[in-house]
Amino acid sequence: MGIIRPLDEHLANQIAAGEVVERPASVLKELVENAVDAGGRHIEITAEEGGLTFLRIKDDGAGIQPDDLLTAFRRHATSKISSAKDLFQIETLGFRGEALPSIAAVAKVRCVSANADDGLARYVEIEGGAVKSEGETNAPRGTEMTVRDLFFNTPARLKYMKTIQTELGHLSDVVYRQALARPDIAFTFRHNETVLLRTPGNGDLRQVVAAIYGTAAAKAMVQLRSDDPDYSLTGLTALPVETRANRNAVTILVNGRYVRSQAVVQPLLQAYHTLLPLHRYPLSVLNLRMHPALVDVNVHPAKLEVRFSKEAELRAFIEETVKEALAGQAYIPSGTSVRKPKQAPAWMQDQIRFQLPPEEAEAQAPAEAVAVAEVPSRGVFAGMPSAETRTPYAAGSGQSAAAPSAATRPASASPAVSPAVSPAASQQRKPPPASGGNGSLPAEQAAAASEPIPESVWQAAFAAPPEKPAEPAFPELSWIGQLHGTYIVAQNENGLFLIDQHAAHERINYEYYYDKFGRPEEASQELLFPVTMEFAPDEFALLRERLPVFAGAGVYLEEFGGNTFIIRAVPHWFPEGDEADVAREIADWVLQERKIDLHALREKAAILCSCKASIKANQALTRESGDRLLQRLGQCRQPYTCPHGRPIVVSFSKYELEKMFKRVMS
Ligand code: ADP
Ligand code: MG
């Protein structure tokens, strides 16, 4: 007789529980998903001690039929799918029929459910997989699941639970994601008697974001809305001001299910491009919808990962949608509304005290503007000649429906021309095909290269209504002086401007080098003293495969024996004296990246070169070179942030100055 036999159901459930029920948050996730699948409009969640001793999820959904109550706790019992075909058409959050039996195997569960409005309900109590009692009771329609003493019969698991605070963090995360996924459901979350979250359930995502991340964050987000034949994307994504240090800031929902997906995060970040500082993520809620056949949700034990069948198309769709949404927005922080006063130079701190009280600021701005973003409405738009005809908020409508607030209304349509600005610069605002090379790309290259941020993004915010061709309108500034060897102080008739000279120079150089890297036909030159670079054997092998990438950027490497390359030639415009350094850093980067494309390489290399070539802070500038810097900055495609996403310009509008000195009231 053989020794292999099927496990009994009880044991099978305990084993499955090991996979499905990792910690209290996994129980919560499964039970909330069931409540959502049942069509609940109000979902109440109560936890104690991080969910370890007590978790209750109560919904007003369809309820479980009396005859089904015990079956629901059987392994692989589900009402959600019935054939293999259904597995490729999943529209519910659950489908495996594993959660209830797994949870009941490792906790003490009481389930009360009613599937009609007659007040009659059934209950069942199960402990460690054994049914303790069942019978009739009274309850309104819906289901209430109470889970006590999780892991009471699996002490090894219990031992691995972290502090209550950690478990509570995981519980909150589950609740937040579900609340963001379903603004149409009213969620209440209590922990140890304190209400931690309450959402209105009126369908307004921005209100849910405000409840979770705060009102300021919710205001600094722009609406996403786009459809193509396969996909739709709605949601909110932050202006570059509202960033977070970790990728949890991004909530990805695929057909209502919270998932983690590089296929979605990467194009999102790509859309922000150089707008974000390094290692920062935008606060975003991305709600993707697609035919269930286009996504496989059955690839991860906790259903946290999915596989897309047309991933490349999806990536392009996401990047495009986010870029477009950011296109109506531009951002120069106003000196009086700098978000994090801590980061402002010390002397500015005093001025910040003069900041408008928030209610006042809101009262000034049109309701629509406040709903979209508060900060830019008080920024340097004041100085933009055409801000009146098109503010960021009027994007799409093209008219002055969202009239700028008093603080943003331009004082005059004609920009001041200071004698310090050369006549050539003052007449034209279109970038000339500058000798420096930071003008526009040749047409075919512009088409071929996917630009960091399309020029239109930056023009849209300031440009005239759509029918007129957009033109960049960086304010023309005249030099006042230099502050602390670090900032250029400048003015025009609309206000005072502080420019971070290093950031400005980096931006100018970045665009210069970015364009240069787009022209591999330009001759490379041999290094006078060829430099060798040695690598570990695996690195060497990988680099050898990727030599064409280097050649594409005009960097020619040759094998030199051992695990060494010799740098033969580099583009002639590499920053002088730093050629080998730059090549080495490009190599390090090529080794780290999993996928290399020309676009990413251009960007990386351009950032490297621009850092090397840029003036640093604490460097005296003459008026002449300062003027030249301002002028060239104005010709940049994206003059507002440095390639690392930090701001270049901060403004104090004339109006803001008058307010500070109480020359105007209101
Ligand atoms: P699944 O969700 O994968 O179907 P579960 O074990 O989570 O499996 O639940 C089993 C079944 O119990 C579900 O298919 C559903 O019919 C029923 N059920 C569970 N929770 C609820 C609820 N809150 N309201 C109504 N029915 C529920
Ligand atoms: Mg379920």
Side-chain angles (χ1 to χ4, degrees):
M1 210 179 97
I3 54 165
I4 303 177
R5 62 189 65 91
L7 292 174
D8 77 58
E9 181 162 335
H10 180 66
L11 194 52
N13 284 338
Q14 281 215 319
I15 293 170
E19 203 164 326
V20 180
V21 188
E22 192 194 340
R23 57 181 357 136
S26 14
V27 174
L28 179 64
K29 176 171 187 286
E30 294 293 340
L31 297 183
V32 171
E33 287 186 355
N34 282 346
V36 170
D37 281 345
R41 312 301 309 164
H42 297 84
I43 298 179
E44 279 178 39
I45 299 153
T46 313
E48 278 165 28
E49 313 304 322
L52 283 164
T53 55
F54 185 92
L55 252 184
R56 173 173 289 160
I57 290 85
K58 188 168 183 285
D59 69 62
D60 56 355
I64 302 174
Q65 288 184 31
D67 289 347
D68 280 345
L69 193 57
L70 273 179
T71 320
F73 285 87
R74 302 264 328 254
R75 191 160 164 70
H76 301 311
T78 177
S79 58
K80 298 170 191 175
I81 60 173
S82 59
S83 71
K85 191 172 109 261
D86 295 341
L87 205 47
F88 304 102
Q89 307 274 331
I90 288 169
E91 312 219 27
T92 51
L93 297 173
F95 54 87
R96 290 185 187 141
E98 277 186 327
L100 295 190
S102 303
I103 295 165
V106 292
K108 300 171 185 169
V109 175
R110 177 182 163 92
C111 170
V112 180
S113 193
N115 72 330
D117 289 313
D118 55 10
L120 294 180
R122 252 196 112 64
Y123 77 91
V124 57
E125 286 179 352
I126 305 180
E127 281 183 19
V131 177
K132 292 288 169 186
S133 71
E134 65 161 317
E136 279 171 9
T137 181
N138 294 313
R141 188 171 57 82
T143 303
E144 181 186 277
M145 289 275 185
T146 309
V147 179
R148 290 190 166 85
D149 302 332
L150 185 63
F151 302 135
F152 78 100
N153 57 348
T154 49
R157 221 0 118 91
L158 193 57
K159 224 178 71 193
Y160 279 100
M161 290 305 110
K162 301 273 164 46
T163 62
I164 287 174
Q165 212 46 44
T166 306
E167 297 307 328
L168 174 60
H170 290 286
L171 293 177
S172 307
D173 196 57
V174 168
V175 178
Y176 294 166
R177 310 290 183 185
Q178 273 302 337
L180 290 166
R182 295 297 299 266
D184 58 323
I185 298 177
F187 286 90
T188 310
F189 176 39
R190 283 189 192 82
H191 183 256
N192 291 355
E193 321 258 295
T194 310
V195 175
L196 296 184
L197 183 74
R198 199 189 290 280
T199 66
N202 60 2
D204 185 348
L205 176 61
R206 208 181 284 271
Q207 287 185 32
V208 180
V209 171
I212 296 171
Y213 299 105
T215 330
K219 281 177 180 169
M221 291 174 94
V222 293
Q223 183 81 43
L224 299 170
R225 177 158 298 146
S226 177
D227 282 295
D228 84 353
D230 286 326
Y231 306 108
S232 93
L233 173 56
T234 57
L236 293 170
T237 199
L239 290 169
V241 263
E242 210 36 67
T243 64
R244 296 286 194 273
N246 88 42
R247 58 178 68 219
N248 276 338
V250 181
T251 297
I252 302 167
L253 305 161
V254 175
N255 291 346
R257 177 192 309 281
Y258 167 65
V259 297
R260 297 185 293 229
S261 167
Q262 282 306 307
V264 178
V265 170
Q266 282 167 355
L268 170 74
L269 296 182
Q270 194 57 39
Y272 278 84
H273 199 69
T274 59
L275 296 178
L276 289 177
L278 216 60
H279 306 307
R280 300 292 292 183
Y281 295 84
L283 195 62
S284 302
V285 182
L286 305 179
N287 207 334
L288 280 161
R289 300 230 151 242
M290 62 197 70
H291 190 277
L294 288 178
V295 53
D296 186 355
V297 296
N298 194 20
V299 295
H300 184 271
K303 296 167 287 181
L304 267 172
E305 278 160 28
V306 292
R307 199 169 292 138
F308 299 106
S309 54
K310 296 202 220 166
E311 191 177 310
E313 287 88 340
L314 178 65
R315 281 173 179 263
F317 171 73
I318 293 167
E319 185 175 338
E320 196 52 34
T321 303
V322 176
K323 270 187 180 169
E324 261 167 36
L326 293 172
Q329 317 286 333
Y331 180 67
I332 298 181
S334 150
T336 56
S337 62
V338 171
R339 274 182 173 275
K340 296 195 183 99
K342 271 185 287 176
Q343 293 179 349
W347 65 268
M348 207 192 264
Q349 302 284 331
D350 287 336
Q351 311 223 3
I352 286 161
R353 271 193 248 125
F354 290 103
Q355 199 169 336
L356 299 178
E359 330 71 78
E360 233 181 291
E362 279 182 30
Q364 281 184 9
E368 243 184 276
V370 170
V372 181
E374 172 190 30
V375 178
S377 73
R378 299 170 56 224
V380 83
F381 295 113
M384 299 303 169
S386 48
E388 194 164 38
T389 47
R390 184 171 169 124
T391 70
Y393 322 115
S397 71
Q399 27 153 309
S400 50
S405 69
T408 68
R409 202 166 291 136
S412 147
S414 58
V417 178
S418 108
V421 176
S422 78
S426 58
Q427 298 159 3
Q428 53 174 341
R429 271 187 248 102
K430 262 227 137 62
S435 48
N438 61 328
S440 32
L441 284 168
E444 61 315 333
Q445 274 187 33
S450 63
E451 289 300 329
I453 286 291
E455 202 162 303
S456 60
V457 170
W458 297 100
Q459 292 172 355
F462 310 119
E467 55 276 12
K468 286 195 205 158
E471 48 176 49
F474 191 75
E476 279 164 43
L477 302 176
S478 61
W479 165 272
I480 297 176
Q482 193 195 25
L483 180 71
H484 298 168
T486 302
Y487 307 99
I488 296 172
V489 185
Q491 66 173 328
N492 68 12
E493 63 177 25
N494 297 316
L496 171 73
F497 297 77
L498 294 174
I499 294 103
D500 180 323
Q501 69 192 39
H502 177 65
H505 203 204
E506 248 186 308
R507 165 55 65 183
I508 293 165
N509 281 328
Y510 170 75
E511 294 197 3
Y512 169 79
Y513 286 114
Y514 188 86
D515 288 351
K516 283 292 189 191
F517 272 106
R519 292 176 197 156
E521 75 275 13
E522 279 190 24
S524 291
Q525 79 186 7
E526 288 204 9
L527 284 187
L528 220 46
F529 306 103
V531 181
T532 57
M533 306 191 281
E534 200 186 341
F535 295 91
D538 56 326
E539 293 178 337
F540 182 80
L542 184 61
L543 283 175
R544 191 165 45 193
E545 273 171 38
R546 293 181 168 176
L547 282 185
V549 175
F550 286 91
V555 178
Y556 293 92
L557 303 181
E558 256 170 41
E559 290 180 42
F560 195 61
N563 294 310
T564 305
F565 289 108
I566 185 162
I567 310 171
R568 277 273 168 241
V570 299
H572 64 85
W573 40 262
F574 257 33
E576 217 181 308
D578 286 322
E579 296 90 346
D581 264 13
V582 171
R584 175 85 212 193
E585 284 184 48
I586 294 178
D588 287 342
W589 176 78
V590 166
L591 284 171
Q592 275 169 33
E593 293 302 292
R594 264 195 296 160
K595 232 184 89 213
I596 306 285
D597 58 36
L598 182 63
H599 171 71
L601 176 75
R602 270 175 84 178
E603 183 182 313
K604 180 66 194 176
I607 290 180
L608 279 174
C609 289
S610 61
C611 277
K612 296 256 185 259
S614 299
I615 45 167
K616 301 284 179 272
N618 283 318
Q619 190 168 323
L621 278 181
T622 60
R623 178 188 190 123
E624 232 184 351
S625 49
D627 270 336
R628 200 161 46 237
L629 192 74
L630 290 177
Q631 192 189 326
R632 290 188 56 188
L633 180 64
Q635 293 163 355
C636 282
R637 284 187 290 272
Q638 199 291 73
Y640 306 104
T641 61
C642 81
H644 311 288
R646 288 188 291 271
I648 294 174
V649 195
V650 167
S651 77
F652 295 78
S653 74
K654 197 171 157 210
Y655 180 79
E656 286 170 309
L657 292 170
E658 284 171 349
K659 270 191 86 86
M660 282 182 208
F661 292 103
K662 309 274 181 236
R663 285 165 162 263
V664 289
M665 302 311 280
S666 87

